[in-house]
């Protein structure tokens, strides 16, 4: 078992819960929402160029403003070899776009007083008591030191915990890679102790490092709720919002809608079907629900989720979170000396499990202060702009997301179409 890697709408969003959005019903609304439909059509041209060049098999893009969809377009193929076209109800592996969903699930417990942000995670998950921090060396010569402060829950939300993912060649990440190379040795009963046994890459709270932090939040949710993560999400988020195609696996009667996943051939760079995809085939309920990257979803479902966030925690009369909770989640929590938290994210801070734009002038994209969102490893991407009241989502299925960076083009194409 693999674990780590993690509308017109009749002028409302009511149909969002049960009806697949049809693009032909919404094109005429673009101008009324302040967009130029002609300029929005540039999205299709650019996305098609990625498809024609063989970089992406297909894309599904959505732009909404004021709760109404201004643009929705499925292009290319869901599965090239099988000849299945991309569809508005295609199911995607959203990988790290699971993180904001997990954060919302956790915050429903926070609102009930189940935990405090500055609690040490060891208060609830004792495996993370007395953590060690990497200093130097490798193997038997590795030097570690005691963590000066405990990992706080806020550190998990912000990726300042010192936990990692195994994505680099560092000595610590090599230990993550070794653990991942033996999936049969990982179970619900030992995964936390195995992660906690690996030294942290830095002192808690002292730096930003992308890692399994959100995955640990998933175990916190299970501990506090007494339910498996997917069950708690179904009860508190998916069912109330009508997100009928979101979960940790695809039901048998929906498998035909699960898109093929692609990657680049290491020798030729050409797009090929990905073998041995992360987290398995998603066709059965996994033992461990990967909070950081394990969800599948559709454009319909994720739009509902994102619009709920833009609305301050409520949609269609269903409230998931309080307005101030969402404001807290989508505020920058990153200390000034850690902004920007990496070189490719100029102008970005970090909220709870999502990046937040703190300086649009430093960003490489058109944006607004307070814009928030995140992407998934297989090229799924979303942003929410509270200032412009915009939700933008792009879905593709190519690993890794940064290889072609089509979503960067998409983001700018959305903003250049605003003319109001």
């Amino acid at each position: 078992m693999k674990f780590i890697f993690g509308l017109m709408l009749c002028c409302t969003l009511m149909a969002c819960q049960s009806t697949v959005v049809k693009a032909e019903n919404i094109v005429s609304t673009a101008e009324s929402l302040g967009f130029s439909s002609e300029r929005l059509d540039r999205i299709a041209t650019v996305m098609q160029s990625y498809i024609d060049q063989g970089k992406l098999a297909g894309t599904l893009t959505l732009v909404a403003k004021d709760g109404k969809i201004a643009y929705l377009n499925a292009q290319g193929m869901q599965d090239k070899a099988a000849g299945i076209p991309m569809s508005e109800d295609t199911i995607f592996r959203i990988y790290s776009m699971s993180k904001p969903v997990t954060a919302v699930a956790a915050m429903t417990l926070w609102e009930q007083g189940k935990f405090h942000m500055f609690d040490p995670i060891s208060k609830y998950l004792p495996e993370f008591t007395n953590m060690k921090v990497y200093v130097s060396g490798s193997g038997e010569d590795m030097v570690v030191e005691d963590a000066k402060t405990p990992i706080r829950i806020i550190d998990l939300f912000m990726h300042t915990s010192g936990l990692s993912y195994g994505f680099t060649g560092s000595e610590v990440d090599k230990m993550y890679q070794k653990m991942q190379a033996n999936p049969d040795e990982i179970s619900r009963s030992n995964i936390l102790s195995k992660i906690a046994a690996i030294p942290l890459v830095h002192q808690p709270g002292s730096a930003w490092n992308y890692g399994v932090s959100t995955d640990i939040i998933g175990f916190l949710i299970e501990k506090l709720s007494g339910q498996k993560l997917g069950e708690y999400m179904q009860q508190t988020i998916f069912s109330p919002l009508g997100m009928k195609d979101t979960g940790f696996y695809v039901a048998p009667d929906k498998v035909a809608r699960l898109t093929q996943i692609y990657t680049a051939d290491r020798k030729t760079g050409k797009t090929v079907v990905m073998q041995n995809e992360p987290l398995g085939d998603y066709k059965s309920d996994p033992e461990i629900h990967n909070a950081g990257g394990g969800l599948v979803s559709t454009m319909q479902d994720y739009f509902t989720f994102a619009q709920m966030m833009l609305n301050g925690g409520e949609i269609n009369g269903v409230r998931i979170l309080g307005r101030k909770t969402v404001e807290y989640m989508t505020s920058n929590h990153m200390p000034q000396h850690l902004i920007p938290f990496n070189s490719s994210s100029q102008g970005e801070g970090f909220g709870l499990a999502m990046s937040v734009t703190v300086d649009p002038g430093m960003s490489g994209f058109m944006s607004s202060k307070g814009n928030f969102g995140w992407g998934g490893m297989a090229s799924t991407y979303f942003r929410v702009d509270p200032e412009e009241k915009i939700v933008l989502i792009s879905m593709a299925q190519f690993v890794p997301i940064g290889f072609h960076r089509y979503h960067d083009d998409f983001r700018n194409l959305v903003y250049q179409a605003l003319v109001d």
Side-chain angles (χ1 to χ4, degrees), residues 187-412:
S187 66
R188 287 180 62 83
S189 63
N190 67 17
I191 182 61
L192 293 180
S193 60
K194 284 183 174 292
I195 294 174
I198 300 175
L200 303 176
V201 298
H202 58 71
Q203 288 288 340
S206 68
W208 189 93
N209 187 75
Y210 200 45
V212 299
S213 293
T214 314
D215 305 66
I216 306 308
I217 292 174
F219 289 104
L220 173 66
I221 293 168
E222 293 189 337
K223 179 81 171 184
L224 296 177
S225 70
Q227 295 176 273
K228 197 169 181 179
L229 181 59
E231 295 170 354
Y232 187 74
M233 286 181 170
Q234 188 67 45
Q235 173 185 305
T236 60
I237 302 174
F238 304 153
S239 289
L241 295 186
M243 296 172 64
K244 57 187 176 61
D245 291 320
T246 303
F248 287 97
Y249 69 102
V250 182
D253 62 336
K254 299 180 181 182
V255 168
R257 291 196 280 129
L258 179 64
T259 186
Q260 180 60 266
I261 187 168
Y262 299 89
T263 190
D265 183 272
R266 291 188 178 184
K267 294 181 179 179
T268 67
K270 291 183 177 181
T271 297
V272 296
V273 171
M274 187 176 192
Q275 304 297 329
N276 301 314
E277 63 181 272
L279 303 180
D281 62 13
Y282 285 93
K283 295 178 182 178
S284 60
D285 190 4
E287 181 185 4
I288 297 173
H289 286 177
N290 186 301
L295 289 174
V296 296
S297 192
T298 58
M299 179 65 82
Q300 184 88 47
D301 281 4
Y302 212 88
F303 172 47
T304 301
F305 174 81
Q307 188 67 46
M308 178 273 293
M309 294 292 288
L310 178 57
N311 292 352
E314 178 273 338
I315 190 169
N316 300 333
V318 177
R319 181 162 292 283
I320 305 301
L321 294 173
R323 174 176 61 83
K324 296 299 290 187
T325 304
V326 175
E327 289 180 13
Y328 180 79
M329 290 182 67
T330 58
S331 297
N332 174 51
H333 294 272
M334 190 64 62
Q336 186 65 38
H337 68 283
L338 297 182
I339 300 174
F341 55 89
N342 65 48
S343 61
S344 66
S345 301
Q346 297 287 327
E348 293 292 297
F350 214 76
L352 302 189
M354 295 173 284
S355 67
V356 179
T357 302
V358 295
D359 188 345
M362 290 187 66
S363 174
F365 318 97
M366 286 181 275
S367 189
S368 303
K369 187 174 182 179
N371 179 305
F372 62 88
W374 202 238
M377 177 174 62
S379 301
T380 59
Y381 178 80
F382 88 107
R383 299 296 295 195
V384 174
D385 187 331
E387 182 176 307
E388 298 286 349
K389 306 299 183 184
I390 288 174
V391 171
L392 59 93
I393 307 173
S394 63
M395 299 286 205
Q397 208 77 139
F398 179 96
V399 176
I401 185 173
F403 194 83
H404 297 308
R405 303 201 68 84
Y406 85 104
H407 56 292
D408 293 350
D409 287 331
F410 173 63
R411 182 168 173 175
N412 281 334

Side-chain angles (χ1 to χ4, degrees), residues 146-160:
D146 292 338
K148 297 176 182 179
T149 59
I151 298 173
R152 305 165 302 168
I153 293 175
I154 189 69
D155 291 315
L156 297 173
F157 279 108
M158 293 168 56
H159 292 281
T160 55

Side-chain angles (χ1 to χ4, degrees), residues 19-56:
T19 305
V20 174
V21 184
K22 294 300 181 183
E24 60 268 24
N25 295 333
I26 62 175
V27 172
S28 63
T29 69
E31 275 73 18
S32 69
L33 296 173
F35 287 101
S36 161
S37 58
E38 181 180 0
R39 283 177 169 267
L40 282 174
D41 285 343
R42 294 175 180 176
I43 297 172
T45 300
V46 174
M47 296 302 106
Q48 192 63 45
S49 71
Y50 280 97
I51 295 167
D52 292 344
Q53 293 173 61
K55 294 179 178 179
L56 298 175

Side-chain angles (χ1 to χ4, degrees), residues 42-174:
R42 294 175 180 176
I43 297 172
T45 300
V46 174
M47 296 302 106
Q48 192 63 45
S49 71
Y50 280 97
I51 295 167
D52 292 344
Q53 293 173 61
K55 294 179 178 179
L56 298 175
T59 62
L60 180 58
T61 48
L62 176 146
V63 183
K65 189 174 187 290
D66 298 329
K68 302 179 182 71
I69 297 177
Y71 182 89
L72 176 65
N73 196 14
Q75 298 174 248
M77 308 301 291
Q78 171 185 307
D79 186 326
K80 293 176 69 174
I84 303 173
M86 187 67 74
S87 172
E88 292 155 16
D89 65 349
T90 292
I91 297 173
F92 298 86
R93 304 155 189 81
I94 63 171
Y95 290 118
S96 286
M97 274 170 55
S98 304
K99 290 177 168 67
V101 181
T102 294
V104 167
M107 295 305 282
T108 62
L109 294 165
W110 183 73
E111 288 185 325
Q112 299 171 48
K114 299 291 187 180
F115 68 91
H116 295 287
M117 284 295 166
F118 294 97
D119 286 343
I121 188 60
S122 58
K123 177 179 178 180
Y124 308 95
L125 304 176
E127 292 89 345
F128 294 95
T129 304
N130 301 321
M131 294 297 291
K132 302 297 181 181
V133 181
Y134 176 81
V135 175
S136 63
S138 63
E140 295 181 356
D141 298 323
M142 182 177 289
V143 178
V144 298
E145 64 182 6
D146 292 338
K148 297 176 182 179
T149 59
I151 298 173
R152 305 165 302 168
I153 293 175
I154 189 69
D155 291 315
L156 297 173
F157 279 108
M158 293 168 56
H159 292 281
T160 55
S161 64
L163 295 167
S164 196
Y165 248 140
F167 288 165
T168 78
S170 73
E171 295 302 322
V172 170
D173 275 4
K174 289 177 182 177

